[in-house]
Amino acid sequence: MDSEHLLLETCLLAGKIMMESGSEVYRVEDTMNRIAHSYGRTDSVSYVTATGIFMSLKNSHHTQIENVGERSNNLEKVVAVNQLSRDFATKVITLNELCDALKKVNQKVPQFPLWLQIVCAGITSSTLMYIFNGTWMDFIATFLIGCLGFVLKTLAHDWLKVAFLDYFIAAFGIGFFAILAVHWNLAFSVDNIIIGSVMPLVPGVAITNSFRDILASHLISGLVRGTEAIIIAIAIGVGIATALIALGGIL
């Protein structure tokens, strides 16, 4: 592989990892161009959207395209790519070493264990419930239902492979068990439990990145991410509403 193709492959791999890990578009473009400039190619042009990455070297007329797959939030990968790009800029590593390191980041960067993610979802749910004028009587129920909602989302995502359906199932489960908890006198307020338990599902990062992309004039990616966040919010709302309609009669 010649140096120009290797450079484009490396830049596109870095951009793909960052986009699939929840980074903003302007940050992805900046990282890709910095890698190219550090290699001595100031003629690089990158164009990044939520679903695809394009990069070209003007003087040699080389262009490559990379598809962006499923997007998630993994800041560990974003930090790893940024650090590797800095190491390359300061000549700590070569282009070949950078490419190999990025491939390892894409495959082997560890995530927090599932049990810890579940516990953190419960803590987030219960503490935010209390902040939003909840009561201590609902704390334990919200913690458990928040954990359960995260488990339902994870299982639905892994088994069904249908976009946004996992959010609907998780929200329905949260509403279902919140109603049952109050009906069995294990908690006091259905509203408080639901408000707290859906917090781990709310697409806060997607909404924030959408506005940041729009403010940075990346209108296409900003609108795509904003639309994605709106659909997730609708799925959560419909799931809660379905549970309330189905079991509201027992309140």
Side-chain angles (χ1 to χ4, degrees), residues 3 17 47 62 106 114 191 203:
S3 60
I17 294 172
Y47 178 70
H62 282 157
N106 195 30
L114 181 60
D191 293 342

Side-chain angles (χ1 to χ4, degrees), residues 132-150:
F132 295 146
N133 297 321
T135 63
W136 287 107
M137 295 179 60
D138 299 324
F139 190 88
I140 295 178
T142 305
F143 175 85
L144 295 176
I145 294 174
C147 291
L148 181 62
F150 188 85

Side-chain angles (χ1 to χ4, degrees), residues 14-84:
K16 179 179 180 179
I17 294 172
M18 295 182 71
M19 280 301 298
E20 291 183 345
S21 300
S23 181
E24 307 91 329
V25 168
Y26 73 87
R27 191 185 304 276
V28 175
E29 290 186 347
D30 180 69
T31 299
M32 294 170 62
N33 288 326
R34 284 181 182 273
I35 292 174
H37 291 175
S38 299
Y39 192 69
R41 297 304 300 259
T42 59
D43 59 332
S44 64
V45 178
S46 61
Y47 178 70
V48 178
T49 69
T51 57
I53 301 174
F54 305 79
M55 190 164 190
S56 175
L57 300 175
K58 290 183 178 179
N59 293 338
S60 60
H61 306 290
H62 282 157
T63 303
Q64 289 189 22
I65 303 172
E66 185 66 67
N67 181 57
V68 176
E70 184 177 356
R71 290 172 298 280
S72 62
N73 296 316
N74 190 337
L75 299 184
E76 290 284 343
K77 287 189 176 183
V78 176
V79 171
V81 173
N82 282 333
Q83 184 58 51
L84 287 172

Side-chain angles (χ1 to χ4, degrees), residues 26 208-219 222:
Y26 73 87
T208 302
N209 286 347
S210 171
F211 279 104
R212 294 186 70 174
D213 284 340
I214 290 174
L215 293 176
S217 299
H218 295 285
L219 300 181

Side-chain angles (χ1 to χ4, degrees), residues 1-250:
M1 182 183 299
D2 62 53
S3 60
E4 291 183 347
H5 281 91
L6 179 60
L7 176 63
L8 288 175
E9 178 186 343
T10 303
C11 292
L12 289 172
L13 179 57
K16 179 179 180 179
I17 294 172
M18 295 182 71
M19 280 301 298
E20 291 183 345
S21 300
S23 181
E24 307 91 329
V25 168
Y26 73 87
R27 191 185 304 276
V28 175
E29 290 186 347
D30 180 69
T31 299
M32 294 170 62
N33 288 326
R34 284 181 182 273
I35 292 174
H37 291 175
S38 299
Y39 192 69
R41 297 304 300 259
T42 59
D43 59 332
S44 64
V45 178
S46 61
Y47 178 70
V48 178
T49 69
T51 57
I53 301 174
F54 305 79
M55 190 164 190
S56 175
L57 300 175
K58 290 183 178 179
N59 293 338
S60 60
H61 306 290
H62 282 157
T63 303
Q64 289 189 22
I65 303 172
E66 185 66 67
N67 181 57
V68 176
E70 184 177 356
R71 290 172 298 280
S72 62
N73 296 316
N74 190 337
L75 299 184
E76 290 284 343
K77 287 189 176 183
V78 176
V79 171
V81 173
N82 282 333
Q83 184 58 51
L84 287 172
S85 67
R86 294 188 187 99
D87 291 342
F88 179 69
T90 55
K91 310 302 181 183
V92 175
I93 58 177
T94 64
L95 183 62
N96 284 293
E97 292 172 338
L98 174 61
C99 185
D100 293 338
L102 288 173
K103 291 177 180 177
K104 293 179 180 178
V105 167
N106 195 30
Q107 298 174 355
K108 297 181 180 180
V109 168
Q111 294 183 337
F112 292 108
L114 181 60
W115 68 267
L116 182 58
Q117 296 181 47
I118 295 171
V119 171
C120 289
I123 294 173
T124 301
S125 300
S126 54
T127 52
L128 288 178
M129 179 277 301
Y130 187 76
I131 291 174
F132 295 146
N133 297 321
T135 63
W136 287 107
M137 295 179 60
D138 299 324
F139 190 88
I140 295 178
T142 305
F143 175 85
L144 295 176
I145 294 174
C147 291
L148 181 62
F150 188 85
V151 170
L152 289 174
K153 178 189 177 301
T154 302
L155 293 177
H157 179 270
D158 292 341
W159 291 352
L160 299 179
K161 304 294 184 182
V162 178
F164 310 114
L165 184 59
D166 51 344
Y167 288 92
F168 170 83
I169 293 174
F172 178 83
I174 288 171
F176 180 87
F177 288 104
I179 293 172
L180 290 183
V182 173
H183 180 69
W184 292 336
N185 296 320
L186 300 176
F188 177 73
S189 171
V190 172
D191 293 342
N192 289 341
I193 296 173
I194 291 176
I195 289 172
S197 298
V198 300
M199 286 297 109
L201 306 179
V202 173
V205 175
I207 295 172
T208 302
N209 286 347
S210 171
F211 279 104
R212 294 186 70 174
D213 284 340
I214 290 174
L215 293 176
S217 299
H218 295 285
L219 300 181
I220 295 177
S221 297
L223 291 175
V224 169
R225 287 186 169 180
T227 302
E228 184 179 33
I230 291 172
I231 295 174
I232 291 173
I234 291 173
I236 294 172
V238 172
I240 295 295
T242 303
L244 293 175
I245 293 172
L247 295 179
I250 70 173

